[in-house]
Amino acid sequence: MKGAVLYGPRDVRFEERESPKIVEPADAVIRISLTCVCGSDLWPYRGISPVAEPTPMGHEYCGIVEEVGKAVKSVRPGQFVIGSFATSDNTCPNCQYGYQSSCMHREFMTRAQAPMLRVPLADGTLVATPEVPPADLIPSLLTLSDVLGTGWFAAVAADVQPGKTVVVVGDGAVGLLGVLAARQLGAERVIAMSRHPARQQLAREFGATDIVTERGADGVARIKELTKGVGADAVLECVGTQESMMQAIQATRPGGSVGYVGVPHGVELNGEDLFYTHVRLHGGPAPVRRFLLELIELVWSGKINPGKVFDLTLPLDQVAEGYRAMDERRAIKVLLRP
Ligand SMILES: [Zn+2]
């Protein structure tokens, strides 16, 4: 089997890897239908998060169950399944509270940019669709594994409610699907912050009502202008830099909430400044598993089409070009076909 391996900055190779097999009784092995490149894959790709050794890549996946271990009860060979980028038993206290990405037995998935994948804790991690989906639904179902699940969590963490005004910081795939999530959760006004025409267009298709092109202090001033000087009820932070985090906090009204899902890189907050903002912060790695059943239903019934976020499809053996296209912002999100 061949899959993607990151050797160092801007060095992704498609090379021979060991075929996965059942190791633990709770494992499943799935045949990947589609996988993709994540914005968070770009942190190690750019050398911002160094890799110590050649690292198999990929954590977004869906596909057909090939084989299950002896302890697996909820999924069986032949089913089409989607799983979170973080495994969970779905039974420990953290899982019961809905924070499956903090499961006491969590592992972060990697190795999904490959034709086959071993999924630990299959019963608590994987959810099967009602039947094997038609091909045109699979890109949308794949987004539930991370990118839509993460945008959805950003909206839930920011306490998006019907009638509210929402700002989305970040026009990557997560931010764009955060726009979709905010609208689905009933937001009346969704302001997307983006300077890129193609991304602005997609944000509008996903339900953005306003676009703000300014950034930093100018961006915050523009949000204040649009909200009678008050700020937004809910802000989704979908980048993870100091600038984006400050932009999110400062665009929020006193008493409002920031849902932050961009993996922070060098973000530092000043306690005293934060104290006087009166803003709630909630975020972290999205507990995608919490939302899987609900989101499968929304895709299955045709109510949402998050798969539109993929604007480039490549065969898996061209995975290196997929990383380049996202790194150079030629593509919003790259779909990989094994
Ligand atoms: Zn758990």
Side-chain angles (χ1 to χ4, degrees):
M1 174 186 95
K2 281 186 160 182
V5 180
L6 181 67
Y7 274 74
R10 294 185 168 78
D11 183 6
V12 173
R13 303 180 199 175
F14 184 68
E15 64 174 26
E16 201 59 43
R17 283 172 20 192
E18 198 184 344
S19 288
K21 55 182 191 298
I22 302 290
V23 178
E24 300 291 336
D27 290 350
V29 169
I30 69 173
R31 178 172 298 278
I32 300 276
S33 299
L34 288 174
T35 180
C36 53
V37 183
C38 182
S40 68
D41 292 335
L42 297 180
W43 295 110
Y45 180 77
R46 289 170 173 161
I48 296 165
S49 309
V51 294
E53 54 190 37
T55 305
M57 296 295 286
H59 56 262
E60 295 171 88
Y61 59 95
C62 61
I64 303 284
V65 178
E66 282 273 313
E67 195 185 351
V68 296
K70 283 199 287 289
V72 175
K73 293 187 174 64
S74 71
V75 295
R76 58 180 186 276
Q79 283 184 317
F80 183 92
V81 292
I82 305 158
S84 164
F85 63 88
T87 66
S88 55
D89 56 19
N90 214 26
T91 57
C92 79
N94 292 342
C95 286
Q96 293 291 298
Y97 282 118
Y99 286 83
Q100 290 92 340
S101 45
S102 274
C103 176
M104 290 167 171
H105 301 102
R106 170 192 70 192
E107 289 177 41
F108 284 114
M109 294 296 289
T110 176
R111 307 179 174 271
Q113 288 160 2
M116 304 284 290
L117 179 69
R118 179 177 81 93
V119 182
L121 301 175
D123 277 338
T125 301
L126 298 172
V127 176
T129 52
E131 50 195 278
V132 173
D136 61 345
L137 231 47
I138 298 178
S140 283
L141 291 169
L142 173 64
T143 67
L144 313 191
S145 181
D146 181 355
V147 60
L148 175 58
T150 294
W152 198 271
F153 176 58
V156 169
D159 195 29
V160 172
Q161 302 274 350
K164 286 195 174 180
T165 294
V166 177
V167 166
V168 179
V169 179
D171 64 359
V174 170
L176 292 167
L177 291 175
V179 169
L180 180 154
R183 284 295 272 197
Q184 281 294 314
L185 292 166
E188 183 176 307
R189 194 168 189 197
V190 180
I191 306 167
M193 304 191 81
S194 172
R195 299 195 289 197
H196 299 79
R199 293 166 190 245
Q200 293 169 2
Q201 173 59 32
L202 195 50
R204 287 204 186 273
E205 285 177 40
F206 285 146
T209 54
D210 303 76
I211 303 286
V212 165
T213 54
E214 293 88 347
R215 277 192 179 185
D218 292 343
V220 171
R222 186 79 189 105
I223 298 296
K224 290 282 170 72
E225 255 176 59
L226 291 169
T227 54
K228 300 190 172 76
V230 181
D233 301 305
V235 179
L236 283 54
E237 193 288 315
C238 306
V239 183
T241 62
Q242 182 72 23
E243 186 191 25
S244 63
M245 192 66 173
M246 294 318 295
Q247 197 172 305
I249 292 169
Q250 289 163 359
T252 309
R253 70 166 170 81
S257 301
V258 174
Y260 64 104
V261 296
V263 182
H265 284 75
V267 176
E268 289 187 15
L269 302 180
N270 177 290
E272 190 180 349
D273 291 346
L274 196 55
F275 182 77
Y276 286 103
T277 63
H278 260 146
V279 165
R280 292 186 186 84
L281 301 179
H282 182 35
V288 163
R289 178 65 184 80
R290 191 205 303 178
F291 309 115
L292 276 180
L293 277 171
E294 178 186 359
L295 295 179
I296 288 172
E297 170 55 29
L298 286 173
V299 169
W300 206 262
S301 62
K303 291 196 180 80
I304 59 172
N305 185 8
K308 279 200 285 191
V309 80
F310 296 109
D311 57 347
L312 178 62
T313 301
L314 294 171
L316 182 61
D317 61 6
Q318 291 177 35
V319 59
E321 168 56 17
Y323 276 77
R324 272 194 300 276
M326 279 179 60
D327 179 38
E328 294 164 10
R329 297 204 107 203
R330 285 185 280 119
I332 296 171
K333 193 163 176 78
V334 176
L335 195 59
L336 298 168
R337 204 176 282 286

